Amino acid sequence: MKNQEKEILKISSLKPSRTKKKEKRDIPIFLLQPFPGSRKKKKRVGRGEGSGHGKTSGRGQKGQKARTGYSKKIGFEGGQMPLYKRIPKRGFHNPFKIEYQVVNLEKIDKIQTQGEITIETLYENGLIRKKNQPVKILGMGEISKPLTIKANAASKSAIQKVESKGGKIEIIQF
């Protein structure tokens, strides 16, 4: 029995090596423990004067912060005018503005498909990032084959260029 205890003590005193080579050690799982000093006990406040965190429990004396249920508003600066109210606000922000994902004809021409191009096709080929956001086709570049493109919006030049090659752009509602 004593030999077993000595062996267990020997194994438990092993520390991981600091060398680049990793050595495998056969340490039983039940002996694994965190290194001494790496784990701290939770601070238990309000447990009497002898604990070192008694009486006011680290909150000082009186005042709003000493009371239970205290919570400071986000952005509160002690009565000073908060930053979000100090900064000038300019212009008008339209909350109903439609943000289109734009795709140029030159990029559509590089897709190796014939016939119909939909929003799913554009998404699969990495030309747009989101399926659920509207897509607008712009007329930059040229196309070499007749295509049917289904999108939420298109510029006049894009429609003109696609129709000149024998294709068409269908506008679908978002």
Side-chain angles (χ1 to χ4, degrees):
M1 198 68 177
K2 288 186 178 183
N3 288 340
Q4 252 186 340
E5 287 176 12
K6 283 181 184 179
E7 198 173 311
I8 289 172
L9 285 172
K10 214 185 281 184
I11 291 170
S12 63
S13 66
L14 292 176
K15 290 184 179 177
S17 62
R18 302 275 182 211
T19 59
K20 285 187 180 179
K21 261 202 294 184
K22 288 189 176 179
E23 297 173 13
K24 249 187 170 180
R25 295 197 176 111
D26 295 330
I27 302 173
I29 291 176
F30 70 91
L31 287 176
L32 292 176
Q33 291 180 342
F35 284 108
S38 68
R39 309 278 283 177
K40 284 175 86 174
K41 281 188 176 179
K42 184 184 166 200
K43 180 194 229 183
R44 296 182 70 225
V45 296
R47 295 293 182 276
E49 285 299 298
S51 69
H53 303 291
K55 196 183 171 205
T56 56
S57 303
R59 291 170 177 247
Q61 294 177 6
K62 299 182 182 177
Q64 191 177 10
K65 287 187 194 174
R67 315 289 188 215
T68 56
Y70 165 77
S71 63
K72 187 169 57 174
K73 283 183 185 175
I74 296 170
F76 181 71
E77 297 186 26
Q80 174 177 301
M81 187 63 67
L83 183 68
Y84 72 91
K85 284 189 174 183
R86 281 181 276 162
I87 294 173
K89 283 111 185 116
R90 289 185 51 86
F92 170 74
H93 174 70
N94 184 1
F96 305 107
K97 181 182 177 185
I98 299 169
E99 293 277 338
Y100 287 102
Q101 300 179 86
V102 294
V103 181
N104 285 308
L105 283 177
E106 63 186 0
K107 291 193 176 178
I108 291 174
D109 194 43
K110 291 177 184 175
I111 297 174
Q112 301 296 321
T113 57
Q114 293 289 325
E116 192 173 89
I117 290 180
T118 61
I119 292 172
E120 284 78 30
T121 317
L122 296 172
Y123 180 76
E124 288 165 8
N125 287 289
L127 297 180
I128 58 173
R129 287 178 184 253
K130 298 173 185 171
K131 281 185 187 177
N132 58 356
Q133 197 173 351
V135 176
K136 185 172 185 173
I137 308 299
L138 300 181
M140 188 174 170
E142 294 292 326
I143 60 166
S144 58
K145 52 194 174 230
L147 296 169
T148 303
I149 302 170
K150 292 185 176 183
N152 303 109
S155 66
K156 287 179 185 175
S157 62
I159 294 169
Q160 205 173 30
K161 287 180 182 179
V162 170
E163 287 176 351
S164 70
K165 293 290 180 183
K168 64 178 181 177
I169 293 182
E170 292 180 18
I171 306 297
I172 53 174
Q173 294 297 319
F174 180 67

